[in-house]
Amino acid sequence: MIKAITFDLDDTLWAVDPVIQHANRTLWEWLHVHAPAMTAQFVLEDLNEGSRLRAGILQRHPQIAHSMTQIRLRLLHECLLQSGYSDADAEVLANNAFDAFIEARHEVELFAHARSMLEKLKQQGMILGALSNGNAEVSRTGLADLFDFQFNADQVGAAKPHPLMFQKALEYLNIQPEEVVHVGDHPVNDIQAAAQLGFWTIWVNLDAGPWPGGRPADAEVTSLEHLPAAVTAIQAMKATNSQEACV
């Protein structure tokens, strides 16, 4: 039987773009008060994903490409240095600025039915885990009481679709991949990556867009309220496959 369900977080249980925009504004307001020389020289957009400065960080430090936290800290530190702060002051300011950012990063607005869906799965006896490339900690959100464990790219040293995060989950659970369902919004990072290791998969497709190609998920939902039923359907498929294997 299915014993555990792992979830991606960003754009699976909440929309990430509004959260990051809010966290960035919070960060910039903090810097404007505590490091005005930096906000006088740079603009908020310089910290965004895809910016020239961020691209430079990744080019010079490819070993941290998996870590949203390390990238942001490195970017803040370098910008502060370029703004005239000493190395020691830049390190302290970068860490404190990041604290302001990450606090706001956890002020998430859950998608409709997210909490009730998770509650229903817990009532069914499922172990729930989070597997995220981002730096949100589910323990700091309103879902802390529903999740049993989390792994993210910072912890394991690699981002999905690399298999390491899924492997760590299996080690923690001490069960077989066919006893786990992975749920996520990304066709490659979540669905294809998990399927390659033998997980069952559910694609969260809240925009009801077309599947982009390749091996599809075992189930698809356009509303989180339908996810428990999708898990039940996978249970039935698994039982049918087991019976056929015994014939």
Side-chain angles (χ1 to χ4, degrees), residues 190-201:
D190 291 308
I191 304 308
Q192 293 181 17
Q196 285 175 356
L197 287 180
F199 286 60
W200 294 86
T201 57

Side-chain angles (χ1 to χ4, degrees), residues 7 14 62 67 107 113 120 127 144 165 182 186 203 220 234:
F7 285 85
W14 58 72
S67 173
E107 295 173 13
H113 312 292
K120 185 173 292 187
I127 302 169
M165 205 181 307
H182 181 67
H186 200 286
W203 184 35
E220 173 186 338
I234 287 175

Side-chain angles (χ1 to χ4, degrees), residues 54-67 70-71 74 157-158:
R54 195 180 181 98
I57 292 289
L58 292 173
Q59 185 175 21
R60 293 190 297 278
H61 306 283
Q63 74 279 7
I64 66 170
H66 67 280
S67 173
Q70 292 184 54
I71 292 169
R74 179 84 63 166

Side-chain angles (χ1 to χ4, degrees), residues 85-121:
Y85 294 96
S86 69
D87 185 67
D89 286 345
E91 182 174 358
V92 171
L93 287 167
N95 284 319
N96 290 340
F98 181 79
D99 287 344
F101 169 86
I102 205 67
E103 184 70 25
R105 169 74 165 93
H106 288 93
E107 295 173 13
V108 300
E109 183 175 347
L110 299 175
F111 286 138
H113 312 292
R115 183 171 179 88
S116 59
M117 171 270 294
L118 293 166
E119 289 173 341
K120 185 173 292 187
L121 292 173

Side-chain angles (χ1 to χ4, degrees), residues 213-229:
R215 175 182 171 177
D218 296 300
E220 173 186 338
V221 295
T222 54
S223 171
L224 292 179
E225 68 178 321
H226 300 144
L227 208 142

